[in-house]
Amino acid sequence: MNSGQDLWKRAKNLIPGGSMLLSKRAEMFLPEQWPAYFSKAKGCQVWDLDGNRYTDMCIMGIGTNTLGYGHPEVDAAVAATVQAGNMSTLNCPEEVYLAERLVEMHPWAQMARFARSGGEANAIAIRIARAASGRDKVAICGYHGWHDWYLSANLSDEGGLDGHLLPGLEPKGVPRNLQGTVFPFNYNNFEELKALVDQHDIGVIKMEVSRNRGPENDFLQKVRQLATERRIVLVFDECTSGFRQTFGGLHKLYGVEPDMAMFGKALGNGYAITATIGRREVMEAAQSTFISSTFWTERIGPTAALKTLEVMERVKSWETITKTGLAIRARWQALAEATGLELDHWGLPALTGFTIKSPKALEYKTLITQEMLAKGYLATTGVYVCTDHTPEVIDGYFDALEPIFRLIKECEEGRDVMSLLKGPVCHAGFKRLN
Ligand SMILES: Cc1ncc(COP(=O)(O)O)c(C=O)c1O
């Protein structure tokens, strides 16, 4: 019985792609076998539609729940808001308290705007930054959501995002006349960015502070200096990196201050809330354009964020998840060495992953997911760590993983991995959208 797969088949007939989020498509994990839907989630445990319980050693809501699913204090705060009323003609006071809180922890910023998704926060930031700089052209490095402004990077050159997180992403439906407005550059390649700035009238630089590698040769400092010299608005997209390694933006770790930053994902511990913060002189450009939306004023998001920040600060969650993530990485490496496999490691410490160095990497990833599912784990080759990933949970995970690494080693030595798979191989990254 797999009620989740049955529902997934219905979904694909009704919802293009089956899910609103590419990363939650069943084919990204285990085609024809993945449970696909949850009935309940708590801590790092998830129950499927048939009542099977799994330990989530996987994407944890794609990075939304660093305090675990259903955190009791966050949920209680949200429940109180539901009781008191989530919407009204008047504004919710929590949005002001949240703005105060975010600028207090990022003293270079004085103002904030809120939205409910990372893509929205990015679109808000781009509009304000373009308005403030008076220039249209943007240099980008990283993933910044699904909106036209960003996908237009692929219009000028089909490989525009090659080397970035979304190689080959199709920009169909994005107006062709946005061509030549967004220019990608590679992380740690300052000369490439400088050449873009020299060639084009770049008004905004938007980038992730770090994703898979840390900055080298004062990269971030050089970007900051270039932006200041050329009066370019520097925007750090912290939607994923925020609150995973510091209390706030990852840029605090590197001592480089942007002109704007966005937070998403972890900010509300699973409730929808994202923020765009910035220097007053930049943010006030929002008054010279139109940025406005009904549900950006609901009350659950800021309520959840305020309580999440309170709990994060008290338990120092970023320290715990960073330590746990580094321990997981070290144990993957030790297991690989013990079994004779070679790994590439990627991701921030609290968002850690590996790739088995083999032409059959995708088949092995599928095998790991299949075998771990049978043992009660949602697992692929990456973990978004949460505070409920205790040492006991991690021990159990590695006990389950060890024989699978040995099986993979046997496959590397000639055993047919396809004969071990009970369904098709999982889809890779963002290239295959079906
Ligand atoms: C750095 C970054 N920016 C923006 C986004 C988009 O956020 P959302 O999926 O909430 O629209 C993501 C999501 O993965 C992200 O990692």
Side-chain angles (χ1 to χ4, degrees):
M1 185 166 71
N2 191 336
S3 307
Q5 269 300 318
D6 295 344
L7 192 61
W8 180 246
K9 287 189 190 92
R10 280 160 57 192
K12 287 207 286 186
N13 193 39
L14 292 161
I15 299 170
S19 164
M20 274 38 75
L21 184 71
L22 177 78
S23 307
K24 283 193 186 173
R25 291 185 188 179
E27 290 78 16
M28 299 300 284
F29 300 92
L30 195 60
E32 297 172 18
Q33 297 178 71
W34 192 241
Y37 295 91
F38 78 106
S39 56
K40 199 168 92 170
K42 188 77 183 162
C44 61
Q45 309 289 319
V46 176
W47 286 257
D48 71 11
L49 298 188
D50 300 316
N52 300 307
R53 190 184 67 164
Y54 304 98
T55 300
D56 196 332
M57 292 298 295
C58 193
I59 60 174
M60 281 299 299
I62 198 95
T64 49
N65 287 70
T66 59
L67 302 176
Y69 298 124
H71 189 278
E73 289 176 71
V74 180
D75 282 4
V78 167
T81 281
V82 171
Q83 283 296 316
N86 182 47
M87 251 300 180
S88 93
T89 299
L90 300 183
N91 295 290
C92 71
E94 288 81 2
E95 64 192 25
V96 188
Y97 310 149
L98 181 58
E100 285 171 347
R101 198 86 172 87
L102 289 173
V103 301
E104 172 195 273
M105 68 178 77
H106 301 95
W108 55 268
Q110 292 80 38
M111 300 186 98
R113 273 290 199 131
F114 300 108
R116 295 297 178 273
S117 79
E120 288 174 337
N122 268 270
I124 291 169
I126 277 297
R127 177 75 69 72
I128 295 177
R130 279 173 162 160
S133 76
R135 285 171 283 168
D136 291 346
K137 293 184 182 164
V138 179
I140 53 142
C141 176
Y143 175 62
H144 305 299
W146 67 274
H147 288 73
D148 282 3
W149 77 263
Y150 174 61
L151 289 195
S152 70
N154 270 1
L155 287 171
S156 50
D157 162 11
E158 285 302 306
L161 291 183
D162 280 352
H164 290 71
L165 270 177
L166 295 176
L169 196 140
E170 281 297 330
K172 272 218 182 91
V174 176
R176 287 218 68 87
N177 54 12
L178 289 179
Q179 190 171 328
T181 55
V182 172
F183 303 88
F185 63 96
N186 285 284
Y187 194 77
N188 275 336
N189 193 336
F190 179 72
E191 290 311 315
E192 189 184 12
L193 172 64
K194 178 141 185 317
L196 283 179
V197 168
D198 286 341
Q199 275 167 39
H200 307 283
D201 192 18
I202 300 284
V204 183
I205 298 172
K206 180 182 275 190
M207 60 184 295
E208 291 186 71
V209 175
S210 163
R211 185 94 186 195
N212 291 309
R213 298 175 286 160
E216 288 160 14
N217 300 321
D218 296 327
F219 179 57
L220 295 175
Q221 283 82 356
K222 287 180 190 159
V223 173
R224 174 68 273 181
Q225 196 184 343
L226 180 70
T228 306
E229 283 167 10
R230 310 286 178 102
R231 294 186 306 102
I232 293 169
V233 178
L234 176 60
V235 186
F236 283 165
D237 181 352
E238 297 260 19
C239 280
T240 286
S241 53
F243 303 100
R244 275 181 227 283
Q245 221 166 336
T246 63
F247 187 44
L250 181 57
H251 64 267
K252 290 167 80 168
L253 191 71
Y254 298 113
V256 176
E257 294 175 344
D259 302 307
M260 305 179 81
M262 293 81 73
F263 299 97
K265 304 276 192 188
L267 182 57
N269 203 54
Y271 293 98
I273 180 74
T274 57
T276 303
I277 66 169
R279 299 184 196 273
R280 183 178 306 281
E281 61 274 21
V282 174
M283 291 296 284
E284 274 180 346
Q287 291 294 83
S288 62
T289 178
F290 182 69
I291 305 171
S292 170
S293 181
T294 304
F295 281 111
W296 289 348
T297 65
E298 66 80 42
R299 197 180 191 184
I300 288 175
T303 301
L306 282 168
K307 188 53 81 174
T308 299
L309 293 178
E310 183 190 315
V311 177
M312 279 178 175
E313 190 175 30
R314 189 180 73 230
V315 304
K316 296 195 167 37
S317 53
W318 63 95
E319 289 181 4
T320 310
I321 60 177
T322 293
K323 199 167 142 226
T324 306
L326 289 173
I328 292 172
R329 183 177 292 174
R331 287 181 71 171
W332 278 333
Q333 184 56 30
L335 186 55
E337 283 166 20
T339 46
L341 294 173
E342 275 192 64
L343 305 182
D344 276 328
H345 295 274
W346 45 264
L348 300 169
L351 186 184
T352 184
F354 66 90
T355 306
I356 296 175
K357 284 199 210 173
S358 162
K360 298 207 180 100
L362 213 52
E363 285 88 337
Y364 296 153
K365 183 179 173 197
T366 314
L367 184 66
I368 289 171
T369 303
Q370 173 186 293
E371 297 301 301
M372 289 299 279
L373 191 68
K375 296 177 184 201
Y377 289 89
L378 300 181
T380 62
T381 53
V383 183
Y384 281 75
V385 183
C386 77
T387 51
D388 284 308
H389 286 131
T390 60
E392 297 72 45
V393 170
I394 306 302
D395 283 349
Y397 164 77
F398 275 97
D399 286 348
L401 191 64
E402 185 184 341
I404 305 168
F405 265 48
R406 296 201 186 282
L407 196 56
I408 292 170
K409 178 63 180 169
E410 281 179 36
C411 295
E412 282 291 89
E413 285 167 348
R415 191 164 173 182
D416 179 17
V417 60
M418 292 311 291
S419 70
L420 296 169
L421 294 180
K422 296 176 191 139
V425 173
C426 69
H427 293 185
F430 291 93
K431 265 190 173 171
R432 293 166 60 174
L433 296 176
N434 57 333

